[in-house]
Amino acid sequence: MSATQTAWVVIVLGGIATFAIRGSFLLVATRLAALPATTRELLRMIPAAALAALVVPALLRTDGDLVLLGPRPLAGVVALGIAWWTRSVLATIAVGLVAVVGFELLLG
Amino acid sequence: MTRYDTDTAPTPRASFRAGAIAVSPVLLGIVPFGLVAGVAATEAGLGLAEAVGFSVVVFAGASQLAALELLGTGAPAWVAIMTAAVINLRMAMYSASIGSYMTDQSLPRRLVASYLLTDQAYALSLARYQQQGRTRPEVDRFFFYLGTALVLWMVWQVTTVLGVVVGGAVPDAVPLGFAVPLTFLCLLVPTVTDRPTLAAALVGGGVALAAAPLPANLGMPLGAGAGVLVGYALARRQRP
């Protein structure tokens, strides 16, 4: 399968799965629209765990090897600070990109 | 259910406009996010058609970026699909919450509402419904929701296309692909609100990092799963 074909499989099946999740209660179970507290608590953990599982390897394992003091981890720390203070996607991306280019120049 | 005074019954048009106005400050945060969704597709070696395909069919930013990130590193389709679905599971929570306000709506309307459900449309509409008749004037529930969700949808599609164009025009010296993890970072920060969610993030990131050499990019779903379990266990212990 080519990369483009794989992408379309992900688009169609990922889209169906996402629609099913979105419609779960809105379409099927509107009358019993109350999640048990335990399920709610479990779902609440997903964004933090999933996003961290994406971010950390992307920052610390760029080319397969663990790098703690490369341009990307350092720029990541700077960007984390900006994200924390501003909560702005635009500011975080702008400062993060400038930082990674800067660290790449500095660390050669 | 809802009982509108006939004199002051909110019109669909006015309610839609109120929703569009409510979502406008949020759009500032959507624009760069949508651009990154376009850039991420080109960084994964895909074209405009696939970028727009993701944005129209899946229409869920974080899961789109995650799937593209995984596809770009050669992960198999099923890992990307599974990851996207797990990231979007939170929307079952929104569906249940907003669904309780939409029991009296027709099936076509609920289909539209389902397709357009996002973090932002959910949060803005719920806040408005809860303030109904107390601090804010009444609005038609469906059309207020449609105002927030449809405007957001349009901005998402336009910025995705722009992102593909921008991504192709920027010189390779600028590591534009780095904007993807930076966006995840930005989404991650507000999800960490207490000890259990912090533990979920730390364990999720740590396990994903340790398990990164596993084939098929299984480190990511493994890390996410471990993080959820640890965060959940901690939350249960705090509030038995």
Side-chain angles (χ1 to χ4, degrees):
Chain A
M1 222 170 13
S2 76
T4 310
Q5 283 170 322
T6 310
W8 279 104
V9 170
V10 175
I11 290 168
V12 172
L13 295 182
I16 291 171
T18 302
F19 184 79
I21 294 165
R22 283 179 162 137
S24 54
F25 289 88
L26 263 165
L27 297 175
V28 184
T30 37
R31 309 269 157 197
L32 44 118
L35 280 174
T38 49
T39 315
R40 210 174 272 270
E41 199 79 307
L42 203 61
L43 290 175
R44 196 169 72 85
M45 299 301 148
I46 291 176
L51 291 168
L54 284 163
V55 170
V56 175
L59 292 179
L60 301 183
R61 239 183 221 279
T62 27
D63 298 310
D65 300 319
L66 185 66
V67 179
L68 288 177
L69 283 174
R72 284 185 175 225
L74 293 174
V77 172
V78 173
L80 181 64
I82 299 292
W84 194 272
W85 286 113
T86 67
R87 296 284 159 104
S88 157
V89 180
L90 189 61
T92 307
I93 292 176
V95 174
L97 283 180
V98 170
V100 79
V101 173
F103 284 123
E104 261 164 22
L105 291 174
L106 272 176
L107 302 170
Chain B
M1 280 305 300
T2 323
R3 196 166 42 79
Y4 293 128
D5 193 322
T6 41
D7 301 4
T8 58
T11 64
R13 187 188 290 262
S15 302
F16 185 92
R17 199 182 309 125
I21 290 168
V23 81
S24 43
V26 175
L27 297 176
L28 272 177
I30 297 296
V31 170
F33 195 9
L35 290 172
V36 174
V39 168
T42 56
E43 292 287 327
L46 300 168
L48 181 64
E50 288 76 29
V52 174
F54 266 109
S55 281
V56 171
V57 178
V58 181
F59 181 51
S63 71
Q64 283 178 232
L65 293 188
L68 286 167
E69 173 97 353
L70 290 169
L71 285 177
T73 54
W78 66 272
V79 173
I81 295 165
M82 200 173 78
T83 301
V86 166
I87 288 177
N88 289 336
L89 264 184
R90 72 185 186 286
M91 291 199 279
M93 222 170 10
Y94 306 160
S95 187
S97 171
I98 214 86
S100 68
Y101 288 92
M102 293 217 182
T103 44
D104 53 348
Q105 302 288 343
S106 67
L107 182 64
R109 283 187 175 188
R110 282 183 284 133
L111 279 168
V112 170
S114 298
Y115 168 64
L116 291 175
L117 186 58
T118 55
D119 304 80
Q120 294 83 0
Y122 163 70
L124 291 169
S125 297
L126 189 77
R128 184 64 179 235
Y129 298 164
Q130 287 173 341
Q131 293 165 348
Q132 284 277 44
R134 283 189 286 148
T135 52
R136 309 294 292 273
E138 296 264 339
V139 287
D140 180 283
R141 280 183 186 162
F142 176 74
F143 282 97
F144 180 87
Y145 177 86
L146 194 65
T148 62
L150 196 60
V151 170
L152 198 148
W153 185 89
M154 288 187 290
V155 171
W156 186 249
Q157 307 310 332
V158 171
T159 50
T160 301
V161 174
L162 282 178
V164 174
V165 176
V166 171
V170 170
D172 286 348
V174 182
L176 216 50
F178 193 55
V180 177
L182 289 176
T183 309
F184 287 139
L185 206 55
C186 232
L187 296 172
L188 171 64
V189 166
T191 67
V192 176
T193 50
D194 52 9
R195 270 164 188 274
T197 45
L198 179 64
L202 290 175
V203 172
V207 171
L209 183 67
L214 286 181
N217 283 54
L218 277 172
M220 189 272 150
L222 220 69
V228 168
L229 290 180
V230 171
Y232 176 70
L234 209 62
R236 295 293 293 166
R237 231 185 38 186
Q238 281 185 357
R239 279 167 295 214

